[in-house]
């Protein structure tokens, strides 16, 4: 069965650079969620989209932005990267009515 | 957002049942309880969810108290591969809020 695809799997950036993370949800899923997980921490909710509109927002820095496109894939854009942005970034998708969110394998971002 | 409270860690002997408790005393009437687990740094894996009735699937059982203020995830025959961090989550509309989770270690 198709799963949530995230790319790239690993990314190394320098401070003050920009990074773009991509998420391809399970086909027919209408909701996408983004999470950040720092070293030794629990996943923190960043933002979600339902039918291409932002549906909820968590502790997402102003330097980060995200959107969901017409084909339902989503991108998380991160600018002015800081060392503290080094983390695993997970994307999940669901059918809003069914409720079960399936997570991708994550993108490991390292800022040097 | 409803908060969840779980033990920080638990050990379980291989082959025995693992019972993982969770308190969610501020849960609203229409909010579901979800359980996920995370093995190493992999993406969280869905286990089971429920509203008010007990639920069972091929992975686990979920027991929810009548007042819905707590629940227990039961892994009936734990194996070494069940070693993971288990998260109890109260789903809020468009987000799943992870708490601190229980680090379950299954011992040979």
């Amino acid at each position: 069965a198709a799963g949530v695809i995230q790319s790239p799997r690993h990314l190394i950036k320098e401070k003050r650079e920009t990074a773009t993370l991509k998420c391809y949800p399970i086909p027919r899923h209408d909701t996408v969620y983004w999470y950040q997980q720092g070293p030794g921490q629990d996943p923190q909710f960043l933002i979600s989209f339902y039918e291409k509109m932002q549906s909820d927002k968590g502790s997402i820095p102003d330097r980060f932005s995200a959107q969901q496109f017409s084909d339902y894939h989503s991108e998380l854009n991160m600018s002015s990267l800081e060392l503290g942005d080094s983390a695993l970034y997970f994307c999940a998708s669901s059918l809003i009515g069914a409720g079960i969110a399936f997570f991708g394998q994550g993108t490991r971002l390292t800022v040097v | 957002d409803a908060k969840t409270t779980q033990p920080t860690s638990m050990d379980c002997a291989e082959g025995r049942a693992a019972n993982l408790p969770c308190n969610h005393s501020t849960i609203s009437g229409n909010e579901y309880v979800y359980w996920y687990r995370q093995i190493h740094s992999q993406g969280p894996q869905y286990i089971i969810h429920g509203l008010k009735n007990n639920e069972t699937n091929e992975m686990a059982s979920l027991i929810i108290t009548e007042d819905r203020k707590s629940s227990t995830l039961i892994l009936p025959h734990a194996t070494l591969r069940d070693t993971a961090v288990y998260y109890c989550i109260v789903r809020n509309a468009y987000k799943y809020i992870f708490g601190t989770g229980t680090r379950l270690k299954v011992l040979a």
Side-chain angles (χ1 to χ4, degrees):
Chain A
V4 176
I5 305 297
Q6 291 188 245
S7 69
R9 293 294 310 278
H10 302 271
L11 189 59
I12 300 175
K13 291 285 186 178
E14 295 188 356
K15 283 193 303 183
R16 293 180 289 278
E17 285 193 317
T18 297
T20 297
L21 279 54
K22 297 185 178 183
C23 170
Y24 298 88
I26 292 171
R28 292 185 295 281
H29 279 191
D30 52 19
T31 307
V32 167
Y33 315 80
W34 285 97
Y35 289 82
Q36 178 191 59
Q37 186 172 27
Q41 298 181 3
D42 304 298
Q44 298 295 313
F45 172 72
L46 292 177
I47 196 167
S48 62
F49 292 87
Y50 167 62
E51 284 291 345
K52 293 155 281 184
M53 299 289 289
Q54 181 181 308
S55 50
D56 208 336
K57 196 171 179 180
S59 48
I60 183 170
D62 292 340
R63 300 178 289 106
F64 294 8
S65 64
Q67 58 181 319
Q68 186 179 31
F69 294 85
S70 57
D71 64 352
Y72 291 93
H73 94 272
S74 178
E75 294 183 4
L76 178 66
N77 296 293
M78 310 158 66
S79 63
S80 303
L81 287 169
E82 302 173 356
L83 296 178
D85 296 329
S86 295
L88 269 170
Y89 290 83
F90 290 108
C91 169
S93 74
S94 74
L95 254 180
I96 194 65
I100 300 172
F102 294 90
F103 284 76
Q105 287 307 298
T107 294
R108 183 176 294 279
L109 172 67
T110 302
V111 181
V112 297
Chain B
D1 298 337
K3 294 193 183 299
T4 61
T5 304
Q6 300 176 249
T8 303
S9 64
M10 292 180 66
D11 290 342
C12 177
E14 189 178 20
R16 303 296 295 268
N19 296 281
L20 290 82
C22 177
N23 286 318
H24 33 78
S25 58
T26 59
I27 193 170
S28 299
N30 60 349
E31 289 180 323
Y32 283 75
V33 178
Y34 286 74
W35 283 82
Y36 281 77
R37 72 181 182 184
Q38 187 174 30
I39 298 173
H40 298 301
S41 297
Q42 298 177 20
Q45 177 190 21
Y46 167 80
I47 302 172
I48 199 167
H49 73 286
L51 181 62
K52 57 177 75 173
N53 297 322
N54 298 338
E55 303 287 344
T56 295
N57 62 21
E58 64 278 4
M59 288 183 69
S61 295
L62 175 60
I63 308 298
I64 302 174
T65 58
E66 196 168 337
D67 63 7
R68 302 210 325 120
K69 292 185 177 182
S70 66
S71 60
T72 300
L73 176 75
I74 301 173
L75 306 178
H77 305 287
T79 71
L80 297 178
R81 286 180 295 182
D82 292 323
T83 293
V85 179
Y86 287 77
Y87 292 99
C88 167
I89 296 167
V90 174
R91 179 188 169 214
N92 177 329
Y94 297 104
K95 62 189 175 190
Y96 298 73
I97 302 298
F98 287 76
T100 53
T102 295
R103 188 172 297 276
L104 175 70
K105 188 172 183 180
V106 179
L107 306 172

